[in-house]
Amino acid sequence: MKERSGKGGEPSVNERYTQWKSLVPVLYDWLANHNLVWPSLSCRWGPQVEQATYKNRQRLYLSEQTDGSVPNTLVIANCEIVKPRVAAAEHISQFNEEARSPFVKKHKTIIHPGEVNRIRELPQNSKIVATHTDSPDVLIWDVESQPNRNAALGVSDSRPDLVLTGHQDNAEFALAMCPTEPFVLSGGKDKSVVLWSIHDHISTLASEQGDKRSPGSGASNSKLPGNSPTVQARGVFVGHDDTVEDVQFCPSSAHEFCSVGDDSCIIFWDSRQGSAPVMKVEKAHNADLHCVDWNPFDVNLILTGSADNTVRMFDRRILTSGGVGSPIHIFEGHSAAVLCVQWSPDKSSVFGSSAEDGILNIWDHEKIGKEHQDTKPTNSPPGLFFRHAGHRDKVVDFHWNASDPWTIVSVSDDGESTGGGGTLQIWRMMDIIYRPQDEVIAELEKFKSHLLTC
């Protein structure tokens, strides 16, 4: 196993992980660790399918990034999510890194044509997902009506329900679904942002193709699926000078969206105003931008993550085209490139960021300037209140669970540190970490008086 030492006397990855593991019963209300044979570059929560007294069952979408010995797949799993304050401390502390969690079970496998680099679910119907692969096309899948496949060498690819065309070069990572309309947004190596509407197609996908779909089509090494209906772009937006790495819709508007790329720019677009940028911030970071997210509660706040190891928060009301972007705050809590940022669906000021350093940080920007020096952890960056250190290599994706507050799924590509494969973790921190201090003290006092009277 490759051991990496930190800089400036920081602990190595394995030392940090060992320390983290010893603190799991103290830090977490629930943790499920699931070893993956193949790395997964994307993870997303799907719909809730069953509710019970102590746990709920929910769909989970994952990718399997193989070495070619077996096909790449899109996996639909069933995840048992234990409700708050139900899991026993000894259970969450005694996991084996090489084991597969009993809480995660494969439900269906789709043979994907090419690598699955990004998965996004449609908010209007979370059984419909879009995937990016190493091609110019965006693939749309009705995961419930797709047949279950056996991922064996030589089998033909599953056939997507729709293929979205419009890019002139590979579109591998930048992918988003609109919260208000069935619109799909993508960015790629052709430096363009492409918009589609699938409004006329989603209601007929299952009814038209559910019983007629063949197990697969085309050769097993085909990058482009055959016999799938195609949808042409609604608009192509040009303004970046390098690869577009991420895109995001405005939460309150199907016409407004933003994009970030390897040209260090944030660009804001409005489809009602043509295909040119509405605003282009030339120097948002000091390096490539990898990710962007738009606050669902306050549509003026934008988060970006970059290869310069920082997360930056911008207020679009005070941005101007050209020149250097002026962030409200620069969050410096990672020691390597930031790969993913996402606002919490439960609290407007909270967000997460994951990076190549193997850390998933949870921040609250309202805490900046309010931390008390006597309680603030040593050397903790302003706003940082939780560090998930359960992964031993780059955390390539994570997703807050909108159906189960404060529950997160995260995946890491463990190639460098564990000799291959990946790690999937589903976790929820102890609520005393994020609840208001006076509320926590009041509850502890209540238990104290109860214990004293027993």
Side-chain angles (χ1 to χ4, degrees), residues 16-17 19-21 23-24 27-34 92 95 333-334 351-355 357-363 384-400 406-412 423-430 433:
R16 185 186 70 194
Y17 179 78
Q19 182 184 30
W20 168 82
K21 193 174 175 182
L23 295 173
V24 164
L27 297 176
Y28 295 86
D29 178 65
W30 181 53
L31 174 78
N33 187 89
H34 190 69
I92 63 173
F95 64 81
H334 289 289
F351 65 90
S353 63
S354 67
D357 59 8
I359 297 293
L360 201 167
N361 284 330
I362 306 296
W363 310 80
L384 178 65
F385 71 95
F386 191 82
R387 289 170 69 88
H388 178 67
H391 294 283
R392 289 172 289 169
D393 215 311
K394 50 186 175 293
V395 184
V396 291
D397 200 13
F398 71 94
H399 192 202
W400 295 86
W406 294 92
T407 300
I408 291 174
V409 58
S410 52
V411 288
S412 57
T423 301
L424 165 75
Q425 292 182 339
I426 302 159
W427 52 276
R428 183 173 54 235
M429 71 182 81
M430 286 283 193
I433 295 172

Side-chain angles (χ1 to χ4, degrees), residues 4 35 86 95 116 155 169 199 221 228 259 401:
R4 291 177 294 170
N35 177 255
V86 170
F95 64 81
V116 187
V155 301
D169 201 346
H199 186 276
N221 63 350
S228 295
S259 57
N401 193 335

